Amino acid sequence: MMEEHNTYDIDLLYIYEHERELYLENETSEEFAKTVIDEIEKIIFFKGTASYGIKGFKEMNNKEYHERQVKTYEGFKNDTKQRYLNEYFIIKDSCFQYNQSIIIDSSNQEFGFWFALNIRQYESKSFSIINFLNIQLKKNFKNDAKEFISFLKFGILKDQSHLLNKVEVDTLGDWINSHENQRQVSNKTERKMKGEINSFLLKSLESNPDYFKRVQNRELFYKVYSKLKEGKFIASNTPFDDFIAIFSNKKISKRNRIIWKGRYVELQWFVKYLVYHLKKVVDLKNDIWNITVKCFVNKEGKEFYNKQLSDAKGKPYQRKALLEEILSLI
């Protein structure tokens, strides 16, 4: 098997090499191998560097070479085994090599998937898995043991355990148990808000408990709610009463949380614009992401983790402008 690396980053290059070896040695299914290489190509396309593109070859009068490469690729692009045997793929007239080092962090929407695949590389070596967990606690979770344990329990052991063997699952369980009562981390965040906080609280509602009983106020929020659905920010089947509940400091049950259809960074923009720019809801201080994850779930109905939202990055900013336009109606 492949030589183990010891950086403990979640590096796409090492994941690719390991999954490639597993598949070519018939230790994983073709269906799963196809899923992995499909997802790897997406990340390389958006985060990696193209080896060459049709534009460059036109400038060098070598368009024919590019066309031959494309024709060769077309011949094997639907053959999973050939995709793993070859060293490149082509998307939108550009050629990309698979052997690119791209570090995946918690802002990635499929972070749990890549995290589990990274654990598979250690081939049941508990010492290496524990080192990996300790490093990830620092790098991707800023020493927030509570948040990391929640991620391991629900994001890995619940959602991704089918990717791991018994030794790997048991090692994660042992690590969790040993850290359950050790949450005195160096950068522990203390709550600054007083009283019970269940969800966002609209300032207008704080000053007037009957705010949502007035027809004109409900109509205003209904317009915002409708435009968020039209913009594919929230699910089209979201009940209106569930939507206004997240602005009322009400306890939101898991089945009534709003399904966020947009990207993680768009939910970050949504919250920051409401709280810091419009100042329409009470400032939650350090509780801002704790409350956000109590109000929203991702498009697959799974819970967010604080770091996925606080650390989220991305473009295009046209979507940010659209969100701001919608929220400015409040």
Side-chain angles (χ1 to χ4, degrees), residues 117-316:
L117 290 189
N118 205 77
I119 289 175
R120 282 157 63 101
Q121 299 175 67
Y122 303 127
E123 299 170 359
S124 304
K125 296 176 184 175
S126 296
F127 178 78
S128 295
I129 295 172
I130 290 171
N131 281 342
F132 170 69
L133 296 176
N134 290 335
I135 294 298
Q136 288 300 308
L137 170 61
K138 295 177 183 178
K139 284 192 172 182
N140 273 304
F141 290 85
K142 306 291 191 296
N143 277 330
D144 188 337
K146 182 178 180 180
E147 178 71 12
F148 189 42
I149 288 171
S150 177
F151 166 73
L152 292 177
K153 284 182 175 179
F154 300 102
I156 303 300
L157 293 179
K158 182 180 177 182
D159 297 337
Q160 306 294 344
S161 61
H162 60 287
L163 301 179
L164 307 174
N165 62 33
K166 186 178 185 303
V167 172
E168 292 160 349
V169 169
D170 288 347
T171 302
L172 262 65
D174 290 343
W175 190 95
I176 290 170
N177 291 335
S178 70
H179 286 75
E180 286 276 27
N181 299 316
Q182 299 176 18
R183 294 177 180 170
Q184 296 180 355
V185 292
S186 59
N187 65 338
K188 182 177 179 182
T189 300
E190 296 182 358
R191 283 191 53 197
K192 293 185 178 180
M193 297 290 288
K194 296 180 180 179
E196 186 176 6
I197 308 170
N198 296 305
S199 59
F200 300 105
L201 177 59
L202 195 68
K203 288 183 177 179
S204 298
L205 187 63
E206 183 182 35
S207 60
N208 177 17
D210 294 327
Y211 178 82
F212 280 125
K213 292 181 180 180
R214 298 187 63 181
V215 174
Q216 64 190 51
N217 293 333
R218 289 180 68 86
E219 287 179 345
L220 176 66
F221 266 79
Y222 191 84
K223 183 181 293 186
V224 173
Y225 155 83
S226 298
K227 287 186 175 294
L228 287 172
K229 291 197 296 181
E230 290 171 10
K232 299 189 182 334
F233 291 109
I234 62 175
S236 60
N237 61 348
T238 302
F240 178 58
D241 285 339
D242 286 356
F243 177 70
I244 61 175
I246 68 171
F247 298 101
S248 310
N249 195 23
K250 291 182 179 179
K251 190 170 185 177
I252 311 298
S253 67
K254 289 185 178 180
R255 66 185 182 86
N256 290 330
R257 291 178 188 174
I258 306 302
I259 297 176
W260 186 260
K261 301 289 285 185
R263 294 176 301 141
Y264 291 9
V265 71
E266 291 169 354
L267 180 53
Q268 181 197 89
W269 292 337
F270 174 90
V271 173
K272 285 184 173 180
Y273 196 70
L274 273 176
V275 176
Y276 301 130
H277 184 82
L278 293 178
K279 302 184 185 300
K280 293 292 186 177
V281 299
V282 173
D283 186 350
L284 298 170
K285 304 185 185 298
N286 289 346
D287 288 310
I288 185 168
W289 303 118
N290 292 329
I291 294 305
T292 303
V293 301
K294 290 181 180 180
C295 297
F296 294 91
V297 291
N298 68 22
K299 59 185 176 183
E300 295 173 348
K302 297 178 182 178
E303 294 185 357
F304 288 108
Y305 302 102
N306 294 18
K307 300 299 179 185
Q308 290 176 321
L309 301 179
S310 63
D311 296 348
K313 298 178 179 62
K315 301 176 182 179

